[in-house]
Amino acid sequence: MLRLSLLAALPATLALVAPTAPRRQTSLRDYTLDDAPIGGPLEPVANYILVKIDDGIDATKGGVFLPDQAKEKPSAGIVVAAGAGKAHPDTGVVVPNPVTEGDRVLYGKFDGTSVKYCGEDHQLIKDDDILLSWAGDASMTLGEVKCVADNVLVQVTKVEEETASGIALAAGVSEQTRTTSGVVVKTGTGRVAADGAS
């Protein structure tokens, strides 16, 4: 009886407005993991994050199109889902994930596990794998990015072209043997203490 009186109190124009766009019903059959149907959306636990991988570069700057085998694996994407965070091992205080759904992230090239979720390539990573994050609609510029945890972003100012003894280094020399110097341009918030404070 109360329900009927509430409906009667609504203006007639609201009851007759047609929906502007058809609603897409997501059925449980639409969710797949590695092409196998799963019972619902994937929900990472603890400090895991599901990232939809950005598309790779299809052509070089000179216009040469790259086949799939020659494309470099992208290491950036948009956060599809994130767990609540991990529990501190000593106190049990939950340390929240540094990113939320819709954020964009840059992570290490070999970090995480590749999965095919709902027919698209995704990466399942941990919060410690994130190098930088930024708002989903912003571009990855120095003003927009944030360092995560105790990460530091350094702008390289000088790359050594010769060794200390004066031997010239060839262009193909491993980056690990070259010394570089730079300026710190961004820092993260640091590690989280046992009580959950930054």
Side-chain angles (χ1 to χ4, degrees):
M1 186 76 99
L2 176 64
R3 190 172 172 198
L4 289 175
S5 64
L6 287 176
L7 288 174
L10 288 174
T13 56
L14 286 179
L16 299 176
V17 173
T20 57
R23 292 185 183 173
R24 182 179 181 272
Q25 295 292 330
T26 304
S27 75
L28 295 179
R29 291 178 296 195
D30 291 342
Y31 296 105
T32 60
L33 182 62
D34 293 332
D35 297 326
I38 55 176
L42 194 61
E43 297 176 5
V45 295
N47 61 332
Y48 284 92
I49 301 160
L50 183 66
V51 177
K52 181 180 176 195
I53 302 172
D54 286 344
D55 294 330
I57 299 171
D58 293 334
T60 64
K61 292 179 182 176
V64 177
F65 288 97
L66 299 171
D68 287 341
Q69 295 84 5
K71 291 181 186 174
E72 190 169 320
K73 179 183 170 187
S75 59
I78 189 161
V79 175
V80 174
K86 63 182 170 189
H88 192 278
D90 296 331
T91 62
V93 173
V94 175
V95 178
N97 252 332
V99 294
T100 58
E101 184 178 334
D103 287 347
R104 299 190 62 78
V105 294
L106 177 71
Y107 52 90
K109 185 183 284 190
F110 302 107
D111 290 340
T113 303
S114 296
V115 295
K116 192 171 209 97
Y117 178 59
C118 297
E120 296 180 344
D121 290 331
H122 287 70
Q123 197 78 1
L124 190 61
I125 61 174
K126 290 185 175 184
D127 61 349
D128 292 335
D129 298 334
I130 298 173
L131 304 173
L132 297 171
S133 70
W134 63 98
D137 55 348
S139 58
M140 187 172 61
T141 61
L142 186 58
E144 295 293 331
V145 298
K146 296 181 290 186
C147 289
V148 177
D150 59 350
N151 290 340
V152 177
L153 183 60
V154 177
Q155 181 179 9
V156 177
T157 57
K158 181 181 176 188
V159 177
E160 294 295 326
E161 299 297 329
E162 60 183 43
T163 64
S165 60
I167 299 173
L169 297 172
V173 173
S174 169
E175 291 295 322
Q176 294 174 344
T177 60
R178 291 180 181 231
T179 7
T180 57
S181 59
V183 177
V184 174
V185 291
K186 290 262 183 170
T187 60
T189 56
R191 293 274 176 194
V192 176
D195 62 356
S198 318

